[in-house]
Amino acid sequence: MNNSDYITIAALNQYSYCPHRCWRMFCAGEFRDNHYTLEGTDLHERVHTLGEGNREEVWQVRAIWLKSERYQLIGKADLIESVEGEVYPIEYKRGKKGEWDNDELQVCAQALCLEEMMGKTIERGYVYYAQTRRRQAVEITEELRQEAIATLEAISNLLKTGTMPPPIYTKRCRGCSLFHQCLPQAADKVKRYQEAS
């Protein structure tokens, strides 16, 4: 198995946000930037300065690749910290805490990789939101683990079959960089027209 057979950790975030967006990115190879994605790229370029060191009592390593054979996952962690034997991943995001749990799924996927790589249980991680400059704790509960595993199975099926999930218009669409490729409102109008005829 080579790395192209693996699901990227970021795909969990994308699929949870919108299965149709995930299909466009990982099956159709489509991606467009908007001001949100450009801000996120800029943040990650600053964060992804490879290195490790201590910050007071905290050991930190940045831009480290994570991999899980069990879950066929691969991706780069923004930051891993260790304090008094507790290890946890920290994912950086440009905005503020949203209404959805897609960021938490990404942190959980990083934790699943870390557990396999280190042979120890990861109980929590964090999402650092640049807009508020605050960390949001993510408890790696059994429920979150099962949600991440179910999302991985859905992504694996999506990649194997290539079947496009229908575009569904929600509030999330407003910030999506692929909105003009997807046109979820138009797809909904066509469906209603077909049902009426």
Side-chain angles (χ1 to χ4, degrees):
M1 178 176 286
N2 60 46
N3 289 348
S4 64
D5 297 322
Y6 284 67
I7 294 170
T8 64
I9 290 171
L12 279 87
N13 192 314
Q14 299 300 335
Y15 188 91
S16 177
Y17 190 80
C18 173
H20 184 80
R21 176 180 170 84
C22 186
W23 177 85
R24 285 194 174 274
M25 291 176 68
F26 296 100
C27 291
E30 294 178 20
F31 186 77
R32 287 192 184 270
D33 279 313
N34 64 11
H35 70 282
Y36 299 120
T37 63
L38 291 172
E39 286 175 9
T41 299
D42 182 55
L43 173 67
H44 281 94
E45 283 177 1
R46 286 183 276 132
V47 171
H48 282 178
T49 303
L50 183 62
E52 68 175 285
N54 289 320
R55 185 175 167 197
E56 297 176 11
E57 304 293 317
V58 181
W59 174 81
Q60 298 179 321
V61 61
R62 295 183 180 278
I64 186 170
W65 283 96
L66 303 177
K67 187 175 183 179
S68 167
E69 298 289 341
R70 178 178 179 187
Y71 297 109
Q72 294 184 287
L73 264 172
I74 194 165
K76 190 181 283 188
D78 293 334
L79 177 64
I80 304 295
E81 288 187 345
S82 177
V83 182
E84 297 178 359
E86 182 186 3
V87 176
Y88 46 85
I90 302 166
E91 176 63 25
Y92 279 64
K93 296 295 179 187
R94 57 152 291 281
K96 59 183 178 181
K97 171 81 172 107
E99 301 172 44
W100 306 287
D101 64 356
N102 50 309
D103 296 339
E104 287 82 356
L105 280 176
Q106 188 171 354
V107 171
C108 184
Q110 292 175 6
L112 293 174
C113 291
L114 276 172
E115 287 180 336
E116 187 174 317
M117 293 169 70
M118 300 183 71
K120 66 187 300 177
T121 301
I122 307 298
E123 296 179 357
R124 80 183 42 82
Y126 295 89
V127 181
Y128 174 83
Y129 291 101
Q131 187 174 340
T132 58
R133 297 183 180 173
R134 293 183 184 251
R135 285 185 182 183
Q136 179 79 33
V138 177
E139 299 302 322
I140 311 297
T141 63
E142 186 57 31
E143 180 182 52
L144 184 59
R145 290 170 189 275
Q146 291 308 313
E147 186 179 352
I149 291 166
T151 303
L152 278 167
E153 289 170 358
I155 295 168
S156 178
N157 186 54
L158 183 77
L159 296 173
K160 284 177 187 165
T161 65
T163 303
M164 180 182 74
I168 299 169
Y169 182 76
T170 68
K171 289 191 301 186
R172 300 176 192 204
C173 296
R174 289 181 237 152
C176 180
S177 65
L178 295 174
F179 178 77
H180 295 292
Q181 284 70 31
C182 170
L183 298 174
Q185 291 166 306
D188 188 45
K189 286 178 184 177
V190 168
K191 181 181 174 190
R192 280 185 277 144
Y193 174 77
Q194 290 171 335
E195 289 171 353
S197 15

